[in-house]
Amino acid sequence: MTEAKICCICNEKFIGWGNNPYPIKEDGECCKPCDDNVVVPARMKEYSNMQKTESFDDIRFKQYEKKKNELN
């Protein structure tokens, strides 16, 4: 018989594979509904926010272009 687990997000019992709850929780396993409705949207939001920030290389390139224009 498969042992029931407790979701670290909603505290409900579930059977089967657990899911990684990051970035909502650091430890434990979450159920499929919490993964689909809470964890995945949080990951998408985190990824979207990362895409909006400039990389270090982009910032350095802009600084280089500014200096180059000032010298000309």
Side-chain angles (χ1 to χ4, degrees):
M1 186 163 108
T2 305
E3 187 178 320
K5 300 175 185 178
I6 304 292
C7 175
C8 66
I9 296 173
C10 69
N11 294 316
E12 296 291 323
K13 289 182 182 181
F14 68 94
I15 296 174
W17 294 103
N19 296 283
N20 180 348
Y22 184 83
I24 303 301
K25 299 268 185 161
E26 293 286 328
D27 297 318
E29 295 178 317
C30 68
C31 63
K32 180 74 171 141
C34 283
D35 187 51
D36 291 342
N37 299 309
V38 179
V39 176
V40 172
R43 287 180 185 160
M44 297 297 284
K45 183 176 181 182
E46 191 174 84
Y47 178 75
S48 176
N49 289 340
M50 286 172 40
Q51 295 300 308
K52 291 177 184 175
T53 61
E54 290 182 294
S55 72
F56 181 73
D57 291 336
D58 292 338
I59 293 168
R60 296 289 294 164
F61 181 75
K62 286 180 182 179
Q63 290 172 345
Y64 167 78
E65 286 293 310
K66 183 179 177 184
K67 281 273 192 201
K68 189 171 95 173
N69 289 335
E70 287 173 358
L71 294 175
N72 290 334

Short mmCIF file of all heavy atoms in Angstrom, two decimals:
data_model
loop_
_atom_site.label_atom_id
_atom_site.label_comp_id
_atom_site.label_asym_id
_atom_site.label_seq_id
_atom_site.Cartn_x
_atom_site.Cartn_y
_atom_site.Cartn_z
N MET A 1 0.84 -1.19 0.00
CA MET A 1 0.00 0.00 0.00
C MET A 1 0.89 1.25 0.00
O MET A 1 1.89 1.31 0.69
CB MET A 1 -0.90 -0.01 1.22
CG MET A 1 -1.91 1.10 1.23
SD MET A 1 -3.23 0.77 2.39
CE MET A 1 -2.85 1.94 3.64
N THR A 2 0.49 2.25 -0.78
CA THR A 2 1.25 3.50 -0.88
C THR A 2 0.92 4.39 0.31
O THR A 2 -0.23 4.58 0.66
CB THR A 2 0.91 4.23 -2.19
OG1 THR A 2 1.13 3.34 -3.27
CG2 THR A 2 1.78 5.44 -2.36
N GLU A 3 1.96 4.94 0.88
CA GLU A 3 1.79 5.82 2.05
C GLU A 3 1.37 7.21 1.62
O GLU A 3 1.91 7.77 0.67
CB GLU A 3 3.11 5.88 2.80
CG GLU A 3 3.02 6.62 4.11
CD GLU A 3 4.35 6.62 4.86
OE1 GLU A 3 5.04 5.59 4.84
OE2 GLU A 3 4.69 7.66 5.43
N ALA A 4 0.39 7.77 2.32
CA ALA A 4 -0.06 9.13 2.04
C ALA A 4 0.97 10.12 2.58
O ALA A 4 1.62 9.89 3.59
CB ALA A 4 -1.41 9.39 2.68
N LYS A 5 1.15 11.20 1.86
CA LYS A 5 2.06 12.28 2.26
C LYS A 5 1.21 13.51 2.56
O LYS A 5 0.07 13.61 2.14
CB LYS A 5 3.05 12.58 1.14
CG LYS A 5 3.91 11.40 0.76
CD LYS A 5 4.77 11.74 -0.43
CE LYS A 5 5.55 10.54 -0.91
NZ LYS A 5 6.36 10.82 -2.08
N ILE A 6 1.80 14.47 3.23
CA ILE A 6 1.13 15.72 3.54
C ILE A 6 1.77 16.83 2.72
O ILE A 6 2.99 17.03 2.77
CB ILE A 6 1.22 16.08 5.05
CG1 ILE A 6 0.67 14.96 5.91
CG2 ILE A 6 0.55 17.41 5.34
CD1 ILE A 6 -0.83 14.76 5.79
N CYS A 7 0.97 17.58 1.99
CA CYS A 7 1.47 18.69 1.18
C CYS A 7 1.99 19.79 2.10
O CYS A 7 1.31 20.18 3.06
CB CYS A 7 0.33 19.24 0.30
SG CYS A 7 0.79 20.71 -0.64
N CYS A 8 3.18 20.29 1.81
CA CYS A 8 3.79 21.32 2.66
C CYS A 8 3.16 22.70 2.43
O CYS A 8 3.45 23.64 3.17
CB CYS A 8 5.29 21.38 2.42
SG CYS A 8 5.77 21.92 0.78
N ILE A 9 2.29 22.82 1.43
CA ILE A 9 1.65 24.11 1.16
C ILE A 9 0.22 24.14 1.72
O ILE A 9 -0.13 25.02 2.49
CB ILE A 9 1.67 24.44 -0.34
CG1 ILE A 9 3.12 24.59 -0.82
CG2 ILE A 9 0.85 25.70 -0.65
CD1 ILE A 9 3.30 24.75 -2.30
N CYS A 10 -0.60 23.17 1.32
CA CYS A 10 -2.01 23.18 1.74
C CYS A 10 -2.31 22.25 2.92
O CYS A 10 -3.42 22.26 3.44
CB CYS A 10 -2.91 22.82 0.56
SG CYS A 10 -2.78 21.10 0.02
N ASN A 11 -1.31 21.45 3.32
CA ASN A 11 -1.45 20.50 4.44
C ASN A 11 -2.47 19.41 4.19
O ASN A 11 -2.94 18.79 5.15
CB ASN A 11 -1.73 21.23 5.76
CG ASN A 11 -0.57 22.09 6.19
OD1 ASN A 11 0.58 21.67 6.13
ND2 ASN A 11 -0.85 23.32 6.59
N GLU A 12 -2.85 19.16 2.96
CA GLU A 12 -3.76 18.07 2.61
C GLU A 12 -2.96 16.81 2.32
O GLU A 12 -1.81 16.88 1.89
CB GLU A 12 -4.60 18.45 1.39
CG GLU A 12 -5.54 19.61 1.60
CD GLU A 12 -6.69 19.29 2.54
OE1 GLU A 12 -7.19 18.15 2.50
OE2 GLU A 12 -7.08 20.19 3.31
N LYS A 13 -3.60 15.66 2.52
CA LYS A 13 -2.96 14.39 2.19
C LYS A 13 -2.98 14.17 0.69
O LYS A 13 -3.93 14.57 0.01
CB LYS A 13 -3.69 13.23 2.87
CG LYS A 13 -3.50 13.19 4.35
CD LYS A 13 -4.22 11.97 4.93
CE LYS A 13 -4.07 11.94 6.44
NZ LYS A 13 -4.74 10.78 7.02
N PHE A 14 -1.92 13.53 0.17
CA PHE A 14 -1.90 13.13 -1.23
C PHE A 14 -1.10 11.84 -1.34
O PHE A 14 -0.31 11.50 -0.47
CB PHE A 14 -1.32 14.22 -2.14
CG PHE A 14 0.15 14.48 -1.96
CD1 PHE A 14 1.09 13.85 -2.76
CD2 PHE A 14 0.60 15.39 -1.01
CE1 PHE A 14 2.44 14.09 -2.61
CE2 PHE A 14 1.96 15.64 -0.85
CZ PHE A 14 2.87 14.99 -1.65
N ILE A 15 -1.35 11.11 -2.40
CA ILE A 15 -0.66 9.85 -2.66
C ILE A 15 0.08 9.98 -3.98
O ILE A 15 -0.42 10.58 -4.92
CB ILE A 15 -1.66 8.68 -2.72
CG1 ILE A 15 -2.33 8.52 -1.35
CG2 ILE A 15 -0.97 7.39 -3.13
CD1 ILE A 15 -3.43 7.49 -1.32
N GLY A 16 1.26 9.41 -4.03
CA GLY A 16 2.03 9.44 -5.27
C GLY A 16 3.25 10.33 -5.14
O GLY A 16 3.70 10.66 -4.05
N TRP A 17 3.76 10.72 -6.30
CA TRP A 17 4.94 11.56 -6.33
C TRP A 17 4.63 12.94 -5.80
O TRP A 17 3.63 13.54 -6.14
CB TRP A 17 5.46 11.70 -7.76
CG TRP A 17 5.95 10.43 -8.34
CD1 TRP A 17 5.30 9.63 -9.24
CD2 TRP A 17 7.18 9.77 -8.05
NE1 TRP A 17 6.04 8.53 -9.53
CE2 TRP A 17 7.21 8.58 -8.82
CE3 TRP A 17 8.25 10.06 -7.23
CZ2 TRP A 17 8.28 7.70 -8.78
CZ3 TRP A 17 9.31 9.18 -7.20
CH2 TRP A 17 9.32 8.02 -7.96
N GLY A 18 5.53 13.46 -4.99
CA GLY A 18 5.42 14.84 -4.54
C GLY A 18 6.18 15.74 -5.50
O GLY A 18 6.96 15.28 -6.33
N ASN A 19 5.92 17.01 -5.41
CA ASN A 19 6.56 17.99 -6.28
C ASN A 19 7.43 18.94 -5.45
O ASN A 19 7.15 19.19 -4.28
CB ASN A 19 5.49 18.79 -7.03
CG ASN A 19 4.69 17.93 -7.95
OD1 ASN A 19 5.15 17.56 -9.02
ND2 ASN A 19 3.49 17.56 -7.54
N ASN A 20 8.44 19.49 -6.10
CA ASN A 20 9.33 20.46 -5.47
C ASN A 20 8.54 21.76 -5.25
O ASN A 20 8.04 22.34 -6.21
CB ASN A 20 10.52 20.71 -6.39
CG ASN A 20 11.52 21.69 -5.83
OD1 ASN A 20 11.26 22.38 -4.87
ND2 ASN A 20 12.67 21.76 -6.47
N PRO A 21 8.43 22.24 -4.01
CA PRO A 21 7.62 23.43 -3.74
C PRO A 21 8.34 24.77 -3.92
O PRO A 21 7.75 25.81 -3.67
CB PRO A 21 7.24 23.24 -2.28
CG PRO A 21 8.43 22.55 -1.69
CD PRO A 21 8.90 21.61 -2.78
N TYR A 22 9.60 24.75 -4.36
CA TYR A 22 10.34 26.00 -4.52
C TYR A 22 9.75 26.83 -5.65
O TYR A 22 9.43 26.27 -6.69
CB TYR A 22 11.83 25.70 -4.82
CG TYR A 22 12.65 26.96 -4.90
CD1 TYR A 22 13.12 27.56 -3.76
CD2 TYR A 22 12.89 27.55 -6.13
CE1 TYR A 22 13.85 28.74 -3.84
CE2 TYR A 22 13.62 28.72 -6.21
CZ TYR A 22 14.09 29.31 -5.07
OH TYR A 22 14.79 30.48 -5.15
N PRO A 23 9.51 28.10 -5.53
CA PRO A 23 10.00 29.07 -4.55
C PRO A 23 9.05 29.36 -3.39
O PRO A 23 9.33 30.25 -2.60
CB PRO A 23 10.20 30.31 -5.39
CG PRO A 23 9.10 30.27 -6.38
CD PRO A 23 8.94 28.80 -6.69
N ILE A 24 7.97 28.63 -3.28
CA ILE A 24 7.02 28.87 -2.19
C ILE A 24 7.58 28.38 -0.86
O ILE A 24 7.48 29.07 0.15
CB ILE A 24 5.67 28.20 -2.49
CG1 ILE A 24 5.10 28.70 -3.82
CG2 ILE A 24 4.68 28.42 -1.35
CD1 ILE A 24 4.86 30.19 -3.91
N LYS A 25 8.15 27.19 -0.85
CA LYS A 25 8.76 26.61 0.35
C LYS A 25 10.12 26.05 -0.02
O LYS A 25 10.35 25.64 -1.15
CB LYS A 25 7.90 25.46 0.90
CG LYS A 25 6.50 25.84 1.31
CD LYS A 25 6.47 26.18 2.74
CE LYS A 25 5.03 26.43 3.16
NZ LYS A 25 4.84 26.34 4.57
N GLU A 26 11.01 26.03 0.94
CA GLU A 26 12.36 25.49 0.71
C GLU A 26 12.40 23.97 0.87
O GLU A 26 13.19 23.31 0.22
CB GLU A 26 13.35 26.13 1.70
CG GLU A 26 13.58 27.60 1.47
CD GLU A 26 14.45 27.90 0.27
OE1 GLU A 26 15.33 27.10 -0.05
OE2 GLU A 26 14.22 28.95 -0.35
N ASP A 27 11.59 23.42 1.77
CA ASP A 27 11.64 22.00 2.09
C ASP A 27 10.27 21.35 1.91
O ASP A 27 9.25 22.03 1.90
CB ASP A 27 12.09 21.80 3.54
CG ASP A 27 13.50 22.32 3.78
OD1 ASP A 27 14.36 22.08 2.92
OD2 ASP A 27 13.72 22.95 4.84
N GLY A 28 10.30 20.04 1.82
CA GLY A 28 9.07 19.27 1.74
C GLY A 28 8.66 18.96 0.32
O GLY A 28 9.42 19.16 -0.63
N GLU A 29 7.45 18.44 0.20
CA GLU A 29 6.87 18.11 -1.09
C GLU A 29 5.47 18.67 -1.14
O GLU A 29 4.78 18.75 -0.12
CB GLU A 29 6.79 16.59 -1.29
CG GLU A 29 8.13 15.91 -1.36
CD GLU A 29 8.00 14.41 -1.51
OE1 GLU A 29 7.16 13.81 -0.81
OE2 GLU A 29 8.73 13.85 -2.33
N CYS A 30 5.04 19.06 -2.33
CA CYS A 30 3.68 19.57 -2.47
C CYS A 30 2.87 18.66 -3.40
O CYS A 30 3.43 17.91 -4.20
CB CYS A 30 3.66 21.01 -2.95
SG CYS A 30 4.23 21.28 -4.63
N CYS A 31 1.56 18.77 -3.30
CA CYS A 31 0.66 17.98 -4.13
C CYS A 31 0.57 18.58 -5.53
O CYS A 31 1.00 19.72 -5.76
CB CYS A 31 -0.72 17.91 -3.47
SG CYS A 31 -1.56 19.51 -3.30
N LYS A 32 0.02 17.83 -6.45
CA LYS A 32 -0.10 18.27 -7.84
C LYS A 32 -0.94 19.55 -7.96
O LYS A 32 -0.55 20.46 -8.69
CB LYS A 32 -0.67 17.13 -8.69
CG LYS A 32 -0.85 17.46 -10.13
CD LYS A 32 0.47 17.51 -10.86
CE LYS A 32 0.23 17.62 -12.36
NZ LYS A 32 1.17 18.52 -13.00
N PRO A 33 -2.11 19.65 -7.30
CA PRO A 33 -2.88 20.90 -7.41
C PRO A 33 -2.10 22.14 -6.93
O PRO A 33 -2.17 23.19 -7.57
CB PRO A 33 -4.11 20.65 -6.53
CG PRO A 33 -4.29 19.17 -6.56
CD PRO A 33 -2.88 18.62 -6.57
N CYS A 34 -1.35 22.01 -5.84
CA CYS A 34 -0.55 23.16 -5.38
C CYS A 34 0.58 23.46 -6.35
O CYS A 34 0.91 24.62 -6.58
CB CYS A 34 0.00 22.90 -3.98
SG CYS A 34 -1.25 23.10 -2.68
N ASP A 35 1.17 22.41 -6.92
CA ASP A 35 2.22 22.62 -7.90
C ASP A 35 1.67 23.39 -9.10
O ASP A 35 2.25 24.38 -9.53
CB ASP A 35 2.81 21.28 -8.34
CG ASP A 35 4.02 21.43 -9.24
OD1 ASP A 35 4.95 22.16 -8.85
OD2 ASP A 35 4.04 20.81 -10.31
N ASP A 36 0.52 22.95 -9.60
CA ASP A 36 -0.08 23.58 -10.79
C ASP A 36 -0.58 25.00 -10.52
O ASP A 36 -0.42 25.88 -11.36
CB ASP A 36 -1.27 22.75 -11.29
CG ASP A 36 -0.85 21.42 -11.90
OD1 ASP A 36 0.35 21.26 -12.24
OD2 ASP A 36 -1.72 20.54 -12.02
N ASN A 37 -1.19 25.21 -9.36
CA ASN A 37 -1.89 26.47 -9.10
C ASN A 37 -1.11 27.49 -8.26
O ASN A 37 -1.48 28.67 -8.25
CB ASN A 37 -3.22 26.19 -8.41
CG ASN A 37 -4.12 25.35 -9.28
OD1 ASN A 37 -4.34 25.66 -10.44
ND2 ASN A 37 -4.63 24.25 -8.73
N VAL A 38 -0.06 27.05 -7.59
CA VAL A 38 0.69 27.96 -6.72
C VAL A 38 2.16 28.03 -7.14
O VAL A 38 2.68 29.12 -7.39
CB VAL A 38 0.58 27.53 -5.23
CG1 VAL A 38 1.37 28.46 -4.34
CG2 VAL A 38 -0.88 27.46 -4.80
N VAL A 39 2.81 26.88 -7.21
CA VAL A 39 4.27 26.84 -7.43
C VAL A 39 4.64 27.27 -8.85
O VAL A 39 5.50 28.15 -9.04
CB VAL A 39 4.83 25.45 -7.10
CG1 VAL A 39 6.31 25.38 -7.43
CG2 VAL A 39 4.60 25.11 -5.64
N VAL A 40 4.02 26.65 -9.84
CA VAL A 40 4.39 26.98 -11.23
C VAL A 40 4.13 28.46 -11.55
O VAL A 40 5.00 29.12 -12.12
CB VAL A 40 3.71 26.03 -12.23
CG1 VAL A 40 3.93 26.49 -13.66
CG2 VAL A 40 4.23 24.61 -12.05
N PRO A 41 2.97 29.04 -11.17
CA PRO A 41 2.79 30.48 -11.42
C PRO A 41 3.85 31.34 -10.71
O PRO A 41 4.31 32.34 -11.27
CB PRO A 41 1.39 30.77 -10.88
CG PRO A 41 0.67 29.48 -11.01
CD PRO A 41 1.71 28.43 -10.71
N ALA A 42 4.26 30.94 -9.50
CA ALA A 42 5.29 31.70 -8.79
C ALA A 42 6.62 31.61 -9.53
O ALA A 42 7.35 32.60 -9.62
CB ALA A 42 5.45 31.18 -7.36
N ARG A 43 6.92 30.44 -10.07
CA ARG A 43 8.16 30.29 -10.85
C ARG A 43 8.11 31.13 -12.12
O ARG A 43 9.11 31.74 -12.50
CB ARG A 43 8.39 28.83 -11.22
CG ARG A 43 8.81 27.98 -10.05
CD ARG A 43 9.02 26.56 -10.49
NE ARG A 43 9.32 25.71 -9.35
CZ ARG A 43 9.18 24.41 -9.35
NH1 ARG A 43 8.77 23.78 -10.44
NH2 ARG A 43 9.46 23.71 -8.28
N MET A 44 6.97 31.16 -12.76
CA MET A 44 6.83 31.95 -13.99
C MET A 44 7.00 33.44 -13.68
O MET A 44 7.64 34.17 -14.43
CB MET A 44 5.47 31.69 -14.65
CG MET A 44 5.27 30.27 -15.10
SD MET A 44 6.42 29.76 -16.38
CE MET A 44 5.72 30.59 -17.76
N LYS A 45 6.42 33.89 -12.57
CA LYS A 45 6.55 35.29 -12.18
C LYS A 45 8.01 35.62 -11.87
O LYS A 45 8.52 36.66 -12.29
CB LYS A 45 5.68 35.58 -10.97
CG LYS A 45 5.70 37.02 -10.54
CD LYS A 45 4.75 37.28 -9.40
CE LYS A 45 4.78 38.75 -9.03
NZ LYS A 45 3.93 39.05 -7.90
N GLU A 46 8.68 34.72 -11.16
CA GLU A 46 10.09 34.93 -10.84
C GLU A 46 10.93 34.98 -12.11
O GLU A 46 11.80 35.84 -12.25
CB GLU A 46 10.56 33.78 -9.93
CG GLU A 46 11.91 33.99 -9.31
CD GLU A 46 12.23 32.88 -8.33
OE1 GLU A 46 12.72 31.83 -8.77
OE2 GLU A 46 12.01 33.08 -7.13
N TYR A 47 10.67 34.09 -13.05
CA TYR A 47 11.39 34.07 -14.32
C TYR A 47 11.13 35.35 -15.12
O TYR A 47 12.04 35.94 -15.67
CB TYR A 47 10.99 32.85 -15.14
CG TYR A 47 11.67 32.78 -16.48
CD1 TYR A 47 13.00 32.41 -16.58
CD2 TYR A 47 10.98 33.09 -17.64
CE1 TYR A 47 13.64 32.36 -17.81
CE2 TYR A 47 11.60 33.05 -18.87
CZ TYR A 47 12.93 32.68 -18.96
OH TYR A 47 13.55 32.63 -20.18
N SER A 48 9.87 35.79 -15.13
CA SER A 48 9.50 37.00 -15.85
C SER A 48 10.23 38.21 -15.27
O SER A 48 10.72 39.06 -16.01
CB SER A 48 8.00 37.21 -15.77
OG SER A 48 7.63 38.41 -16.38
N ASN A 49 10.32 38.28 -13.96
CA ASN A 49 11.03 39.38 -13.31
C ASN A 49 12.52 39.35 -13.64
O ASN A 49 13.14 40.39 -13.79
CB ASN A 49 10.83 39.35 -11.80
CG ASN A 49 9.42 39.73 -11.41
OD1 ASN A 49 8.70 40.36 -12.16
ND2 ASN A 49 9.02 39.33 -10.22
N MET A 50 13.09 38.15 -13.76
CA MET A 50 14.50 38.03 -14.11
C MET A 50 14.74 38.53 -15.53
O MET A 50 15.78 39.13 -15.81
CB MET A 50 14.95 36.57 -14.00
CG MET A 50 15.11 36.10 -12.59
SD MET A 50 15.43 34.33 -12.41
CE MET A 50 16.55 33.96 -13.72
N GLN A 51 13.81 38.30 -16.42
CA GLN A 51 13.97 38.70 -17.81
C GLN A 51 13.92 40.22 -17.96
O GLN A 51 14.45 40.76 -18.91
CB GLN A 51 12.89 38.07 -18.68
CG GLN A 51 12.99 36.56 -18.76
CD GLN A 51 14.31 36.10 -19.32
OE1 GLN A 51 14.71 36.54 -20.37
NE2 GLN A 51 15.00 35.24 -18.61
N LYS A 52 13.28 40.91 -17.02
CA LYS A 52 13.14 42.36 -17.11
C LYS A 52 14.37 43.10 -16.62
O LYS A 52 14.53 44.28 -16.91
CB LYS A 52 11.92 42.80 -16.29
CG LYS A 52 10.62 42.36 -16.90
CD LYS A 52 9.45 42.76 -16.03
CE LYS A 52 8.16 42.21 -16.61
NZ LYS A 52 7.04 42.46 -15.74
N THR A 53 15.24 42.43 -15.88
CA THR A 53 16.43 43.10 -15.37
C THR A 53 17.55 42.98 -16.39
O THR A 53 17.67 42.01 -17.10
CB THR A 53 16.88 42.49 -14.03
OG1 THR A 53 17.18 41.12 -14.23
CG2 THR A 53 15.81 42.63 -12.97
N GLU A 54 18.37 44.01 -16.43
CA GLU A 54 19.49 44.00 -17.36
C GLU A 54 20.61 43.12 -16.81
O GLU A 54 20.84 43.07 -15.61
CB GLU A 54 20.03 45.41 -17.53
CG GLU A 54 19.13 46.33 -18.29
CD GLU A 54 19.77 47.69 -18.47
OE1 GLU A 54 19.97 48.36 -17.46
OE2 GLU A 54 20.07 48.04 -19.62
N SER A 55 21.29 42.47 -17.70
CA SER A 55 22.42 41.67 -17.29
C SER A 55 23.62 42.59 -17.03
O SER A 55 23.67 43.73 -17.49
CB SER A 55 22.78 40.65 -18.36
OG SER A 55 23.37 41.29 -19.47
N PHE A 56 24.59 42.09 -16.33
CA PHE A 56 25.81 42.83 -16.05
C PHE A 56 26.50 43.22 -17.35
O PHE A 56 26.99 44.33 -17.49
CB PHE A 56 26.73 41.99 -15.17
CG PHE A 56 28.01 42.68 -14.81
CD1 PHE A 56 28.03 43.70 -13.90
CD2 PHE A 56 29.21 42.30 -15.42
CE1 PHE A 56 29.22 44.35 -13.57
CE2 PHE A 56 30.40 42.93 -15.10
CZ PHE A 56 30.40 43.96 -14.17
N ASP A 57 26.53 42.30 -18.31
CA ASP A 57 27.15 42.59 -19.60
C ASP A 57 26.45 43.73 -20.33
O ASP A 57 27.11 44.57 -20.95
CB ASP A 57 27.16 41.35 -20.50
CG ASP A 57 28.11 40.28 -19.99
OD1 ASP A 57 29.06 40.62 -19.26
OD2 ASP A 57 27.89 39.11 -20.32
N ASP A 58 25.12 43.78 -20.27
CA ASP A 58 24.38 44.87 -20.91
C ASP A 58 24.74 46.22 -20.28
O ASP A 58 24.93 47.21 -20.98
CB ASP A 58 22.86 44.66 -20.78
CG ASP A 58 22.37 43.48 -21.58
OD1 ASP A 58 23.05 43.07 -22.54
OD2 ASP A 58 21.29 42.95 -21.24
N ILE A 59 24.83 46.25 -18.97
CA ILE A 59 25.16 47.48 -18.26
C ILE A 59 26.57 47.93 -18.61
O ILE A 59 26.81 49.10 -18.91
CB ILE A 59 25.00 47.29 -16.74
CG1 ILE A 59 23.51 47.07 -16.42
CG2 ILE A 59 25.56 48.48 -15.97
CD1 ILE A 59 23.25 46.60 -15.02
N ARG A 60 27.53 46.99 -18.60
CA ARG A 60 28.92 47.33 -18.94
C ARG A 60 29.03 47.84 -20.38
O ARG A 60 29.76 48.77 -20.65
CB ARG A 60 29.84 46.11 -18.75
CG ARG A 60 29.95 45.62 -17.32
CD ARG A 60 30.71 46.54 -16.44
NE ARG A 60 32.10 46.58 -16.89
CZ ARG A 60 32.98 47.49 -16.55
NH1 ARG A 60 32.62 48.45 -15.73
NH2 ARG A 60 34.20 47.46 -16.99
N PHE A 61 28.27 47.24 -21.31
CA PHE A 61 28.31 47.67 -22.70
C PHE A 61 27.79 49.10 -22.82
O PHE A 61 28.38 49.92 -23.52
CB PHE A 61 27.49 46.74 -23.59
CG PHE A 61 27.52 47.14 -25.03
CD1 PHE A 61 28.63 46.93 -25.81
CD2 PHE A 61 26.40 47.75 -25.61
CE1 PHE A 61 28.66 47.31 -27.14
CE2 PHE A 61 26.42 48.14 -26.94
CZ PHE A 61 27.55 47.92 -27.71
N LYS A 62 26.72 49.43 -22.11
CA LYS A 62 26.18 50.79 -22.14
C LYS A 62 27.19 51.79 -21.58
O LYS A 62 27.34 52.89 -22.10
CB LYS A 62 24.87 50.87 -21.37
CG LYS A 62 23.71 50.23 -22.11
CD LYS A 62 22.45 50.33 -21.30
CE LYS A 62 21.30 49.65 -22.03
NZ LYS A 62 20.07 49.70 -21.25
N GLN A 63 27.89 51.40 -20.50
CA GLN A 63 28.90 52.27 -19.92
C GLN A 63 30.05 52.49 -20.91
O GLN A 63 30.54 53.61 -21.07
CB GLN A 63 29.44 51.68 -18.62
CG GLN A 63 28.44 51.71 -17.49
CD GLN A 63 28.93 50.95 -16.27
OE1 GLN A 63 29.88 50.17 -16.34
NE2 GLN A 63 28.27 51.18 -15.15
N TYR A 64 30.45 51.42 -21.60
CA TYR A 64 31.51 51.51 -22.60
C TYR A 64 31.10 52.44 -23.74
O TYR A 64 31.87 53.31 -24.16
CB TYR A 64 31.82 50.11 -23.14
CG TYR A 64 32.68 50.11 -24.38
CD1 TYR A 64 34.05 50.32 -24.30
CD2 TYR A 64 32.10 49.91 -25.64
CE1 TYR A 64 34.83 50.33 -25.44
CE2 TYR A 64 32.88 49.93 -26.79
CZ TYR A 64 34.24 50.14 -26.68
OH TYR A 64 35.00 50.15 -27.81
N GLU A 65 29.87 52.28 -24.23
CA GLU A 65 29.38 53.12 -25.33
C GLU A 65 29.33 54.59 -24.91
O GLU A 65 29.68 55.49 -25.66
CB GLU A 65 28.00 52.65 -25.78
CG GLU A 65 28.01 51.36 -26.57
CD GLU A 65 28.69 51.53 -27.92
OE1 GLU A 65 28.36 52.46 -28.66
OE2 GLU A 65 29.58 50.69 -28.21
N LYS A 66 28.91 54.84 -23.68
CA LYS A 66 28.82 56.22 -23.18
C LYS A 66 30.21 56.85 -23.13
O LYS A 66 30.41 57.99 -23.58
CB LYS A 66 28.16 56.23 -21.80
CG LYS A 66 27.97 57.61 -21.24
CD LYS A 66 27.28 57.56 -19.88
CE LYS A 66 27.17 58.95 -19.31
NZ LYS A 66 26.60 58.96 -17.98
N LYS A 67 31.18 56.12 -22.57
CA LYS A 67 32.55 56.63 -22.50
C LYS A 67 33.11 56.87 -23.90
O LYS A 67 33.76 57.90 -24.14
CB LYS A 67 33.44 55.62 -21.78
CG LYS A 67 33.31 55.64 -20.31
CD LYS A 67 34.24 56.67 -19.74
CE LYS A 67 34.31 56.47 -18.25
NZ LYS A 67 34.75 57.63 -17.56
N LYS A 68 32.86 55.95 -24.81
CA LYS A 68 33.36 56.08 -26.17
C LYS A 68 32.79 57.33 -26.83
O LYS A 68 33.52 58.09 -27.48
CB LYS A 68 32.99 54.84 -26.98
CG LYS A 68 33.65 54.78 -28.34
CD LYS A 68 33.42 53.43 -28.99
CE LYS A 68 32.21 53.55 -29.88
NZ LYS A 68 31.98 52.37 -30.68
N ASN A 69 31.52 57.61 -26.63
CA ASN A 69 30.87 58.79 -27.21
C ASN A 69 31.39 60.09 -26.58
O ASN A 69 31.49 61.11 -27.25
CB ASN A 69 29.37 58.69 -27.08
CG ASN A 69 28.77 57.64 -27.99
OD1 ASN A 69 29.34 57.29 -29.03
ND2 ASN A 69 27.62 57.11 -27.60
N GLU A 70 31.70 60.03 -25.29
CA GLU A 70 32.23 61.21 -24.62
C GLU A 70 33.62 61.58 -25.13
O GLU A 70 33.99 62.75 -25.18
CB GLU A 70 32.29 60.97 -23.10
CG GLU A 70 30.94 60.98 -22.44
CD GLU A 70 31.02 60.57 -20.98
OE1 GLU A 70 32.12 60.25 -20.48
OE2 GLU A 70 29.96 60.59 -20.32
N LEU A 71 34.40 60.57 -25.51
CA LEU A 71 35.76 60.81 -25.99
C LEU A 71 35.78 61.34 -27.42
O LEU A 71 36.74 61.98 -27.82
CB LEU A 71 36.59 59.52 -25.91
CG LEU A 71 36.85 59.02 -24.49
CD1 LEU A 71 37.56 57.67 -24.54
CD2 LEU A 71 37.69 60.02 -23.71
N ASN A 72 34.74 61.08 -28.18
CA ASN A 72 34.69 61.54 -29.59
C ASN A 72 34.14 62.90 -29.74
O ASN A 72 33.68 63.67 -29.23
CB ASN A 72 33.86 60.57 -30.43
CG ASN A 72 34.59 59.25 -30.60
OD1 ASN A 72 35.81 59.20 -30.53
ND2 ASN A 72 33.84 58.21 -30.79
#
